[in-house]
Amino acid sequence: MPAPAANIVFVLNGPNLNLLGTREPDIYGHDTLDDIAGQLEDRARALGLEIDMRQSNHEGHLIDWLHEAQATRAKAVLLNAGGFTHTSVALHDAIKSVTTPVIEVHLSNPHAREAFRHTSLVGQAARGTIAGFGALSYLLALEAAARF
């Protein structure tokens, strides 16, 4: 694959992540998605990167954005697929179909939760997974992406 056209990292967020800060804060924390975006933008600047942060409750949007990351030669994708993590063969296949490195991100630790969350179809296709550190999970994933 050719070198990235720009140092852009896509940050894709799936269903219900628009409710961060109010949705089960004992599990997901009090940071909103906008709070996390601000933290990522600050760190990205220091790393010489740009962030393209997006959220959708629709699986097809996430797939289209993965394809767009490939087409624009983005440096990497950070993907928090939310509930689609455990169910979406289509997202798994989309990740496998692009050469852009994808890092799976989770605020909570899925392995410390309900049994149905222990299987990640996204993680089986992703370059790596960072989970369980709240909003810091995104920043750790960005640090990893900066090294690609």
Side-chain angles (χ1 to χ4, degrees):
M1 177 174 140
N7 283 329
I8 296 174
V9 175
F10 281 45
V11 182
L12 307 181
N13 297 280
N16 300 310
L17 290 164
N18 55 306
L19 301 176
L20 284 181
T22 59
R23 176 184 176 228
E24 299 179 274
D26 53 317
I27 295 173
Y28 300 111
H30 294 280
D31 287 322
T32 66
L33 205 54
D34 285 341
D35 294 335
I36 293 169
Q39 294 170 28
L40 283 170
E41 288 169 3
D42 290 345
R43 186 65 191 134
R45 261 191 304 282
L47 293 168
L49 301 171
E50 294 177 41
I51 295 300
D52 186 338
M53 182 96 157
R54 304 175 186 191
Q55 186 278 329
S56 180
N57 293 318
H58 305 281
E59 182 179 38
H61 291 161
L62 297 170
I63 293 167
D64 289 342
W65 294 338
L66 284 165
H67 296 172
E68 182 182 341
Q70 170 80 11
T72 60
R73 297 185 1 233
K75 185 170 185 65
V77 174
L78 311 185
L79 174 60
N80 184 342
F84 291 140
T85 296
H86 320 288
T87 63
S88 181
V89 172
L91 272 174
H92 172 277
D93 290 350
I95 294 166
K96 296 289 272 188
S97 73
V98 300
T99 57
T100 306
V102 176
I103 301 172
E104 177 185 35
V105 177
H106 294 288
L107 295 160
S108 67
N109 178 355
H111 297 287
R113 299 187 58 202
E114 303 93 339
F116 71 86
R117 297 185 194 276
H118 297 180
T119 298
S120 171
L121 299 178
V122 166
Q124 291 172 21
R127 180 82 164 268
T129 300
I130 299 178
F133 298 101
L136 180 59
S137 293
Y138 284 87
L139 295 169
L140 293 169
L142 181 63
E143 292 285 340
R147 297 173 187 263
F148 295 142

PDB file of all heavy atoms in Angstrom, residues 62-78:
ATOM      1  N   LEU A  62     -20.761   3.016   9.039  1.00  0.00           N
ATOM      2  CA  LEU A  62     -19.433   2.607   9.508  1.00  0.00           C
ATOM      3  C   LEU A  62     -18.663   1.887   8.397  1.00  0.00           C
ATOM      4  O   LEU A  62     -17.469   2.124   8.211  1.00  0.00           O
ATOM      5  CB  LEU A  62     -19.559   1.719  10.754  1.00  0.00           C
ATOM      6  CG  LEU A  62     -20.184   2.384  11.977  1.00  0.00           C
ATOM      7  CD1 LEU A  62     -20.487   1.346  13.056  1.00  0.00           C
ATOM      8  CD2 LEU A  62     -19.305   3.484  12.519  1.00  0.00           C
ATOM      9  N   ILE A  63     -19.357   1.053   7.655  1.00  0.00           N
ATOM     10  CA  ILE A  63     -18.718   0.338   6.546  1.00  0.00           C
ATOM     11  C   ILE A  63     -18.282   1.326   5.474  1.00  0.00           C
ATOM     12  O   ILE A  63     -17.142   1.257   4.981  1.00  0.00           O
ATOM     13  CB  ILE A  63     -19.673  -0.730   5.989  1.00  0.00           C
ATOM     14  CG1 ILE A  63     -19.874  -1.826   7.045  1.00  0.00           C
ATOM     15  CG2 ILE A  63     -19.147  -1.310   4.674  1.00  0.00           C
ATOM     16  CD1 ILE A  63     -21.024  -2.772   6.770  1.00  0.00           C
ATOM     17  N   ASP A  64     -19.165   2.253   5.101  1.00  0.00           N
ATOM     18  CA  ASP A  64     -18.806   3.266   4.100  1.00  0.00           C
ATOM     19  C   ASP A  64     -17.592   4.068   4.547  1.00  0.00           C
ATOM     20  O   ASP A  64     -16.710   4.385   3.741  1.00  0.00           O
ATOM     21  CB  ASP A  64     -19.975   4.212   3.835  1.00  0.00           C
ATOM     22  CG  ASP A  64     -21.118   3.553   3.073  1.00  0.00           C
ATOM     23  OD1 ASP A  64     -20.922   2.489   2.455  1.00  0.00           O
ATOM     24  OD2 ASP A  64     -22.239   4.123   3.108  1.00  0.00           O
ATOM     25  N   TRP A  65     -17.530   4.401   5.820  1.00  0.00           N
ATOM     26  CA  TRP A  65     -16.414   5.203   6.328  1.00  0.00           C
ATOM     27  C   TRP A  65     -15.110   4.405   6.340  1.00  0.00           C
ATOM     28  O   TRP A  65     -14.037   4.972   6.134  1.00  0.00           O
ATOM     29  CB  TRP A  65     -16.736   5.756   7.699  1.00  0.00           C
ATOM     30  CG  TRP A  65     -17.864   6.756   7.688  1.00  0.00           C
ATOM     31  CD1 TRP A  65     -18.310   7.505   6.637  1.00  0.00           C
ATOM     32  CD2 TRP A  65     -18.690   7.099   8.801  1.00  0.00           C
ATOM     33  NE1 TRP A  65     -19.357   8.304   7.030  1.00  0.00           N
ATOM     34  CE2 TRP A  65     -19.609   8.079   8.359  1.00  0.00           C
ATOM     35  CE3 TRP A  65     -18.754   6.685  10.131  1.00  0.00           C
ATOM     36  CZ2 TRP A  65     -20.571   8.650   9.185  1.00  0.00           C
ATOM     37  CZ3 TRP A  65     -19.706   7.254  10.962  1.00  0.00           C
ATOM     38  CH2 TRP A  65     -20.600   8.219  10.491  1.00  0.00           C
ATOM     39  N   LEU A  66     -15.180   3.106   6.599  1.00  0.00           N
ATOM     40  CA  LEU A  66     -13.984   2.270   6.484  1.00  0.00           C
ATOM     41  C   LEU A  66     -13.471   2.281   5.048  1.00  0.00           C
ATOM     42  O   LEU A  66     -12.268   2.411   4.811  1.00  0.00           O
ATOM     43  CB  LEU A  66     -14.275   0.838   6.935  1.00  0.00           C
ATOM     44  CG  LEU A  66     -14.381   0.625   8.441  1.00  0.00           C
ATOM     45  CD1 LEU A  66     -15.026  -0.717   8.745  1.00  0.00           C
ATOM     46  CD2 LEU A  66     -13.000   0.716   9.090  1.00  0.00           C
ATOM     47  N   HIS A  67     -14.378   2.175   4.099  1.00  0.00           N
ATOM     48  CA  HIS A  67     -13.985   2.235   2.686  1.00  0.00           C
ATOM     49  C   HIS A  67     -13.399   3.603   2.349  1.00  0.00           C
ATOM     50  O   HIS A  67     -12.420   3.700   1.595  1.00  0.00           O
ATOM     51  CB  HIS A  67     -15.190   1.944   1.779  1.00  0.00           C
ATOM     52  CG  HIS A  67     -15.737   0.570   1.937  1.00  0.00           C
ATOM     53  ND1 HIS A  67     -16.911   0.177   1.339  1.00  0.00           N
ATOM     54  CD2 HIS A  67     -15.297  -0.519   2.617  1.00  0.00           C
ATOM     55  CE1 HIS A  67     -17.165  -1.087   1.635  1.00  0.00           C
ATOM     56  NE2 HIS A  67     -16.195  -1.523   2.421  1.00  0.00           N
ATOM     57  N   GLU A  68     -13.991   4.660   2.900  1.00  0.00           N
ATOM     58  CA  GLU A  68     -13.477   6.011   2.662  1.00  0.00           C
ATOM     59  C   GLU A  68     -12.075   6.172   3.238  1.00  0.00           C
ATOM     60  O   GLU A  68     -11.211   6.812   2.623  1.00  0.00           O
ATOM     61  CB  GLU A  68     -14.430   7.045   3.270  1.00  0.00           C
ATOM     62  CG  GLU A  68     -14.012   8.469   3.026  1.00  0.00           C
ATOM     63  CD  GLU A  68     -14.939   9.487   3.677  1.00  0.00           C
ATOM     64  OE1 GLU A  68     -16.090   9.158   4.016  1.00  0.00           O
ATOM     65  OE2 GLU A  68     -14.474  10.635   3.863  1.00  0.00           O
ATOM     66  N   ALA A  69     -11.844   5.622   4.411  1.00  0.00           N
ATOM     67  CA  ALA A  69     -10.496   5.692   5.009  1.00  0.00           C
ATOM     68  C   ALA A  69      -9.483   5.060   4.070  1.00  0.00           C
ATOM     69  O   ALA A  69      -8.387   5.598   3.872  1.00  0.00           O
ATOM     70  CB  ALA A  69     -10.493   4.998   6.372  1.00  0.00           C
ATOM     71  N   GLN A  70      -9.835   3.941   3.479  1.00  0.00           N
ATOM     72  CA  GLN A  70      -8.960   3.281   2.514  1.00  0.00           C
ATOM     73  C   GLN A  70      -8.757   4.167   1.285  1.00  0.00           C
ATOM     74  O   GLN A  70      -7.627   4.369   0.841  1.00  0.00           O
ATOM     75  CB  GLN A  70      -9.583   1.945   2.092  1.00  0.00           C
ATOM     76  CG  GLN A  70      -8.905   1.270   0.925  1.00  0.00           C
ATOM     77  CD  GLN A  70      -7.660   0.529   1.327  1.00  0.00           C
ATOM     78  OE1 GLN A  70      -7.382   0.335   2.501  1.00  0.00           O
ATOM     79  NE2 GLN A  70      -6.899   0.101   0.353  1.00  0.00           N
ATOM     80  N   ALA A  71      -9.847   4.703   0.744  1.00  0.00           N
ATOM     81  CA  ALA A  71      -9.778   5.498  -0.492  1.00  0.00           C
ATOM     82  C   ALA A  71      -8.953   6.765  -0.310  1.00  0.00           C
ATOM     83  O   ALA A  71      -8.269   7.202  -1.247  1.00  0.00           O
ATOM     84  CB  ALA A  71     -11.181   5.841  -0.974  1.00  0.00           C
ATOM     85  N   THR A  72      -8.994   7.351   0.880  1.00  0.00           N
ATOM     86  CA  THR A  72      -8.254   8.595   1.133  1.00  0.00           C
ATOM     87  C   THR A  72      -6.870   8.320   1.704  1.00  0.00           C
ATOM     88  O   THR A  72      -6.144   9.255   2.033  1.00  0.00           O
ATOM     89  CB  THR A  72      -9.027   9.517   2.094  1.00  0.00           C
ATOM     90  OG1 THR A  72      -9.231   8.831   3.330  1.00  0.00           O
ATOM     91  CG2 THR A  72     -10.353   9.951   1.500  1.00  0.00           C
ATOM     92  N   ARG A  73      -6.537   7.032   1.839  1.00  0.00           N
ATOM     93  CA  ARG A  73      -5.229   6.612   2.356  1.00  0.00           C
ATOM     94  C   ARG A  73      -4.966   7.185   3.756  1.00  0.00           C
ATOM     95  O   ARG A  73      -3.875   7.692   4.044  1.00  0.00           O
ATOM     96  CB  ARG A  73      -4.126   6.952   1.364  1.00  0.00           C
ATOM     97  CG  ARG A  73      -4.332   6.180   0.079  1.00  0.00           C
ATOM     98  CD  ARG A  73      -3.282   6.282  -0.995  1.00  0.00           C
ATOM     99  NE  ARG A  73      -2.121   7.077  -0.760  1.00  0.00           N
ATOM    100  CZ  ARG A  73      -1.688   8.047  -1.572  1.00  0.00           C
ATOM    101  NH1 ARG A  73      -2.359   8.351  -2.660  1.00  0.00           N
ATOM    102  NH2 ARG A  73      -0.589   8.702  -1.304  1.00  0.00           N
ATOM    103  N   ALA A  74      -5.985   7.093   4.597  1.00  0.00           N
ATOM    104  CA  ALA A  74      -5.837   7.518   5.994  1.00  0.00           C
ATOM    105  C   ALA A  74      -4.747   6.683   6.658  1.00  0.00           C
ATOM    106  O   ALA A  74      -4.484   5.538   6.271  1.00  0.00           O
ATOM    107  CB  ALA A  74      -7.156   7.348   6.741  1.00  0.00           C
ATOM    108  N   LYS A  75      -4.117   7.266   7.644  1.00  0.00           N
ATOM    109  CA  LYS A  75      -3.041   6.582   8.369  1.00  0.00           C
ATOM    110  C   LYS A  75      -3.573   5.366   9.127  1.00  0.00           C
ATOM    111  O   LYS A  75      -2.930   4.323   9.171  1.00  0.00           O
ATOM    112  CB  LYS A  75      -2.374   7.561   9.327  1.00  0.00           C
ATOM    113  CG  LYS A  75      -1.163   7.000  10.040  1.00  0.00           C
ATOM    114  CD  LYS A  75      -0.429   8.093  10.768  1.00  0.00           C
ATOM    115  CE  LYS A  75       0.852   7.619  11.387  1.00  0.00           C
ATOM    116  NZ  LYS A  75       1.866   7.184  10.424  1.00  0.00           N
ATOM    117  N   ALA A  76      -4.752   5.513   9.742  1.00  0.00           N
ATOM    118  CA  ALA A  76      -5.337   4.440  10.544  1.00  0.00           C
ATOM    119  C   ALA A  76      -6.792   4.770  10.839  1.00  0.00           C
ATOM    120  O   ALA A  76      -7.248   5.897  10.615  1.00  0.00           O
ATOM    121  CB  ALA A  76      -4.574   4.264  11.859  1.00  0.00           C
ATOM    122  N   VAL A  77      -7.482   3.777  11.386  1.00  0.00           N
ATOM    123  CA  VAL A  77      -8.853   3.946  11.872  1.00  0.00           C
ATOM    124  C   VAL A  77      -8.907   3.434  13.304  1.00  0.00           C
ATOM    125  O   VAL A  77      -8.435   2.328  13.588  1.00  0.00           O
ATOM    126  CB  VAL A  77      -9.861   3.141  11.018  1.00  0.00           C
ATOM    127  CG1 VAL A  77     -11.263   3.197  11.628  1.00  0.00           C
ATOM    128  CG2 VAL A  77      -9.880   3.629   9.579  1.00  0.00           C
ATOM    129  N   LEU A  78      -9.464   4.246  14.183  1.00  0.00           N
ATOM    130  CA  LEU A  78      -9.820   3.791  15.527  1.00  0.00           C
ATOM    131  C   LEU A  78     -11.311   3.510  15.470  1.00  0.00           C
ATOM    132  O   LEU A  78     -12.091   4.392  15.092  1.00  0.00           O
ATOM    133  CB  LEU A  78      -9.535   4.860  16.578  1.00  0.00           C
ATOM    134  CG  LEU A  78      -8.156   5.531  16.563  1.00  0.00           C
ATOM    135  CD1 LEU A  78      -8.019   6.477  17.747  1.00  0.00           C
ATOM    136  CD2 LEU A  78      -7.046   4.513  16.525  1.00  0.00           C
TER     137      LEU A  78
END
